[in-house]
Amino acid sequence: MNTAGHPEATARRGLELTPFRGLRYDPDRVGSLAAVTSPPYDVVVRPDGLHQLQSNDPYNIVRLILPQATTPAERNEQAARTLRGWLAEGILAADAEPGLYVYEQHDGAGLLQRGIIGILRLSEPSEGVVLPHEDVMPHVVADRAALMRATSANLEPLLLTYRGNGTQSVTTTMVERTAEQPPLLATTTEDGYSHRLWSITDPAEVARIQKDLAQHQALIADGHHRWATYRRLRAEHPSPSPWDHGLVLLVDTARYPLRVRAIHRLLHGVPVDRSLSLLDGLFRVRRLDMPLAEALDTLADTACAGNAFLLAGDGAFHLVDRPDPGLLSRTVPTDRPTAWRTLDATVLHATLLAHVWHIPEDDPARIAYIHDTAATVEKAERDGGTAVLMHPVREEVVRDLARQGVTMPRKSTSFGPKPASGLVLRALDV
């Protein structure tokens, strides 16, 4: 590996991706492949969305990734029973040969994303192989760990990105060559995205991909809590064990750039007028009587000049910007780079949540993190809460901070498109 001047030179070992025998739905046993898929567990935030997925098909993957029961223990045992039942019935079956899986998403409007799914050797942050960029919430990690223990499975891949050589990359070349062949499966989900999956099982081809990926490090684009869960579970099991690896999708963003969107906040039980009253004299506040799309455009323009947020929930939008410099100096930690101190998410968590509104960032009874902008506003208006709408961070800022070992506040970004859950799973005992 040529390490001269290369930002990945600090990694002692690169990415180690291993083939596995994927668990996949038998298309003859389910209504349709689209009907059994789901967005990742943390994107399904609304009860109506969960109920819709459950009603789409009795075998929808949401019954595994978000089981419904009275207590956490009952939920996890229910998921384990469901998985065992589906395996016994042949609803899910393991592929005959281990492979790396090429996965393609296409939105029909120009966005095409391809990557490769495998099981990745877990590493310590100090190794510089897999770079997190966000903090995690301990209760979410504990929840995911309990589910994975009960099912002994990785139920959905997390999304990692790396910077290859674009069209010159060995892995990308093989991914695109594979995508010219008939797929193992093809389906179109209700969001309009088409999904296709192939398997690479030839040992020589797998070895070429592994050699190429060993030169790279990866950024966690989506799945910080699942990565932390993988690492927790690995620590619980003496190595070597199947828990030494976790299910991932790797995308070369030099060839297939991801979209970066914001994750919004919903403050439960806090009316907008109360949220705004606490900002008096600390931020500039302007009321915007306009549709959501125009309000977001205004937010984007304002965010170019400094920290800015949109508050909603009372039928209007309120643009919040120009924080008092003295307030920021008192509340934002000074032991991290300027790029981190000036993030909207940093100001939101360190200043607004902690010191102005006094809302714990990890208390699900007080705050929710929602990807869908319109859903955040609708829920705030329906429940009498405050929606805090964010402007997305640029990918280069995320990557630069991650390479410095600096994590952003939790739920700072939403990279996408995210892999659909339910297309390929991993059982640790297969």
Side-chain angles (χ1 to χ4, degrees), residues 83-292:
L83 178 57
R84 289 193 299 267
W86 291 358
L87 289 169
E89 295 174 44
I91 304 301
L92 287 169
D95 285 331
E97 296 181 84
L100 298 175
Y101 294 84
V102 172
Y103 176 48
E104 175 190 279
Q105 295 163 279
H106 196 323
D107 70 352
L111 186 145
L112 174 67
Q113 178 174 292
R114 290 177 178 148
I116 193 155
I117 297 174
I119 56 172
L120 187 70
R121 181 188 72 88
L122 305 183
S123 57
E124 297 298 321
S126 60
E127 295 181 58
V129 176
V130 175
L131 305 176
H133 70 267
E134 289 183 358
D135 294 331
V136 297
M137 292 176 273
H139 74 277
V140 177
V141 175
D143 174 75
R144 291 293 101 184
L147 178 63
M148 287 190 204
R149 281 191 211 99
T151 58
S152 192
N154 299 155
L155 300 172
E156 45 186 346
L158 52 86
L159 174 61
L160 304 182
T161 72
Y162 70 100
R163 298 289 291 179
N165 300 319
T167 56
Q168 304 304 312
S169 163
V170 169
T171 300
T172 297
T173 298
M174 297 188 69
V175 163
E176 296 186 351
R177 184 187 308 154
T178 301
E180 296 173 355
Q181 306 302 315
L184 292 174
L185 65 84
T187 190
T188 300
T189 46
E190 63 179 16
D191 58 6
Y193 276 86
S194 64
H195 307 262
R196 297 198 294 171
L197 192 76
W198 299 259
S199 181
I200 298 176
T201 58
D202 180 83
E205 293 184 348
V206 168
R208 290 182 64 199
I209 291 172
Q210 290 174 318
K211 182 179 179 180
D212 179 44
L213 291 176
Q215 304 175 67
H216 297 291
Q217 65 180 177
L219 175 74
I220 300 177
D222 185 69
H224 282 83
H225 290 90
R226 281 168 284 166
W227 181 257
T229 299
Y230 289 169
R231 294 185 58 245
R232 172 183 288 196
L233 293 171
R234 180 189 65 168
E236 295 175 2
H237 296 82
S239 185
S241 83
W243 299 96
D244 291 341
H245 295 76
L247 185 63
V248 306
L249 165 64
L250 278 166
V251 174
D252 178 1
T253 53
R255 178 68 178 91
Y256 297 106
L258 271 66
R259 292 174 175 169
V260 187
R261 292 190 169 97
I263 301 177
H264 310 295
R265 277 66 170 161
L266 175 63
L267 311 184
H268 296 303
V270 183
V272 177
D273 57 357
R274 173 165 172 74
S275 300
L276 293 173
S277 68
L278 294 171
L279 300 179
D280 188 37
L282 302 176
F283 286 77
R284 182 176 69 168
V285 178
R286 289 175 287 165
R287 181 185 175 98
L288 305 178
D289 290 304
M290 57 181 62
L292 174 59

Side-chain angles (χ1 to χ4, degrees), residues 51-73:
H51 296 153
Q52 178 185 348
L53 289 166
Q54 288 177 325
S55 63
N56 280 349
D57 191 284
Y59 301 114
N60 189 283
I61 190 67
V62 78
R63 297 178 187 275
L64 298 181
I65 63 174
L66 287 173
Q68 299 299 295
T70 305
T71 68

Side-chain angles (χ1 to χ4, degrees), residues 74-89:
E74 291 172 350
R75 290 196 294 270
N76 296 328
E77 178 52 35
Q78 177 177 294
R81 285 197 308 270
T82 299
L83 178 57
R84 289 193 299 267
W86 291 358
L87 289 169
E89 295 174 44

Side-chain angles (χ1 to χ4, degrees), residues 364-378:
R366 303 285 302 282
I367 186 171
Y369 298 83
I370 304 178
H371 294 73
D372 186 279
T373 309
T376 311
V377 175
E378 290 167 8

